[in-house]
Amino acid sequence: GKSEKYFEKSKMASRNSLIFFVLIAFHCVGGILAISEMPLMTTGWKSYDVVKDQPAPSPSSFLGFFNYTSTESYNFQQLLYLAEIGFGTPSQTATLLFDSGSSNLWIMGTQCHETGCDGKTKFNEDKSSTFHSLGEPLTITYGSGYIEGFLANDEVTFGDMTIKQTFGVVDNIDAGFAGSHFSGICGMSYQALAADNVTPPLTNMVKQGKISNFSFSLHLSKKPQGEGSKIIFGGNDPTLFKGDLTYFDNVGDDFFAVNIEGIKIGSQQVPLERKMFTIVDSGTTIIAFPSNMIGTVENMIGHVEPDCSNVGSLPDLFLDIEGTTFSLTSEDYVVVMEFNGRYQCTLPFVEQEQEYMIIGVMFMRKYYTHFDLENRRIGFAENIQ
């Protein structure tokens, strides 16, 4: 199947979740929060027990359940981690995705009546006393479609931290977003990537004195509902990972990216013609491989039984990032997804037409990730679960 997105500027999202925010301040210096944390949540990750415990399939669904299913049939967006952000005065909260692969903040508005907006929380500009429309159109094209709207200024709240921010109010959205159950995206990358050169939220957090360091990090938990997952603004939290962070130069300019120098599956080496430019993307669930690699990877790993019975016998995946090896066991990379009303195990590796890789949430669930924009580097360490 094809990659579930990749895009010109940004991405997609996941399940609508109720999240209560706690903003925790560390090392308060001169009134500036050196580090602040916000919880994240996910509802899409299921244990293998869900597959084993479900009723036996009926004869009519049996063949569909056990036949090979293309990754295009699955909604991998359900596996992303979300948070609630407040817009306006008084604050109106909505579930958004923190996306390391884009730089714009946008939210669906009440004038969005497209299928992609159905059933989702919308921002009502008329109910905000601090709202100001800029009268400028906004259009962003994603792999799954487009969004259209207009730019506005208002107060935006991240837990107990409020900034003044320019963002998009979306009134038209592609039908490709219909199954995502999200209300918007908070882009976390560099301003050079932003449509209309809008100043991204993280940049404004620093400029407006809310945090002292131009960076953020993600701790994605494997616990039910993603309990304990956090986004950390302004640095990293050493209590959430093992040992020290290993840092790599960001080779992606406006994108966060590293060079993968080798890939092993079990004891087999995946042939690489050169270093593999690899985007590190919190807005993607899967690992995407170029077209000329995906077949080799899947053949080396082997077939995953839909009933999950052979997960424990599948080989480990090893990624060599500039001399440091990061491993994923089969239990790290095999996921449970719903298809035709039934749960089954699948490999969430997808084909990427361009000659680069993407590593997403699946990798970050095991490895705490520090996106250090200030020093143009990316750090990884194993998460404490």
Side-chain angles (χ1 to χ4, degrees), residues 10-21 38-43 77-88 91-100 102-109 120-124 138 140 142 147 155-159 163 165-170 173 177 180-188 201 205 218 220 229-231 233 282-283 361:
S10 23
K11 333 289 163 23
M12 291 285 295
S14 172
R15 302 276 300 185
N16 205 344
S17 308
L18 179 62
I19 304 167
F20 296 95
F21 287 101
M38 251 173 65
L40 303 172
M41 179 176 282
T42 182
T43 59
Q77 298 164 37
Q78 294 181 10
L79 306 182
L80 295 170
Y81 287 68
L82 306 176
E84 282 190 349
I85 298 175
F87 291 81
S91 181
Q92 302 173 43
T93 58
T95 304
L96 271 71
L97 168 72
F98 285 106
D99 180 19
S100 65
S102 65
S103 298
N104 286 87
L105 172 65
W106 59 267
I107 174 101
M108 295 174 183
K120 296 158 191 175
T121 303
K122 301 172 186 178
F123 173 62
N124 188 338
L138 174 70
I140 303 176
Y142 297 78
I147 61 136
E155 294 188 347
V156 180
T157 301
F158 301 83
I163 60 173
Q165 178 66 39
T166 298
F167 58 91
V169 180
V170 170
I173 194 167
F177 291 83
S180 59
H181 302 289
F182 73 96
S183 293
I185 290 174
C186 183
M188 299 296 291
M205 290 178 191
L218 291 171
L220 305 184
S229 300
K230 295 178 181 180
I231 182 169
F233 303 106
S282 67
V361 165

Side-chain angles (χ1 to χ4, degrees), residues 48 72 87 94 121 130 158 195 212 243 245 253 261 274 276-278 291 302 308 313 317 320 324-325 328 339-340 370:
Y48 302 137
E72 290 182 326
F87 291 81
T121 303
T130 47
F158 301 83
S212 59
L245 288 158
D253 295 325
E261 297 181 345
R274 60 187 180 281
M276 182 60 63
F277 181 86
T278 302
S291 301
C308 310
S313 64
L317 170 64
D320 179 346
T324 301
T325 299
L328 295 173
F339 178 69
N340 282 348
H370 182 205

Side-chain angles (χ1 to χ4, degrees), residues 41-53:
M41 179 176 282
T42 182
T43 59
W45 291 88
K46 306 295 182 184
S47 72
Y48 302 137
D49 290 339
V50 171
V51 178
K52 292 185 292 185
D53 295 343

Side-chain angles (χ1 to χ4, degrees), residues 245-316:
L245 288 158
T246 301
Y247 283 98
F248 305 93
D249 290 340
N250 180 15
V251 298
D253 295 325
D254 303 330
F255 289 106
F256 296 106
V258 295
N259 283 320
I260 288 182
E261 297 181 345
I263 302 173
K264 280 178 62 179
I265 296 173
S267 60
Q268 302 180 83
Q269 197 80 35
V270 178
L272 291 182
E273 296 178 0
R274 60 187 180 281
K275 292 181 179 180
M276 182 60 63
F277 181 86
T278 302
I279 292 173
V280 184
D281 179 10
S282 67
T284 300
T285 304
I286 44 72
I287 295 181
F289 295 93
S291 301
N292 61 355
M293 289 177 59
I294 186 69
T296 300
V297 170
E298 291 181 337
N299 287 336
M300 287 182 176
I301 287 178
H303 179 66
V304 181
E305 294 296 337
D307 65 2
C308 310
S309 59
N310 70 333
V311 170
S313 64
L314 297 175
D316 292 348

Side-chain angles (χ1 to χ4, degrees), residues 3 7 39-40 61 70 130 147-148 151 167 182 191 211 301:
S3 170
F7 47 65
L40 303 172
S61 65
S70 166
T130 47
I147 61 136
E148 294 178 342
L151 292 174
F167 58 91
F182 73 96
Q191 186 168 351
I211 57 175
I301 287 178

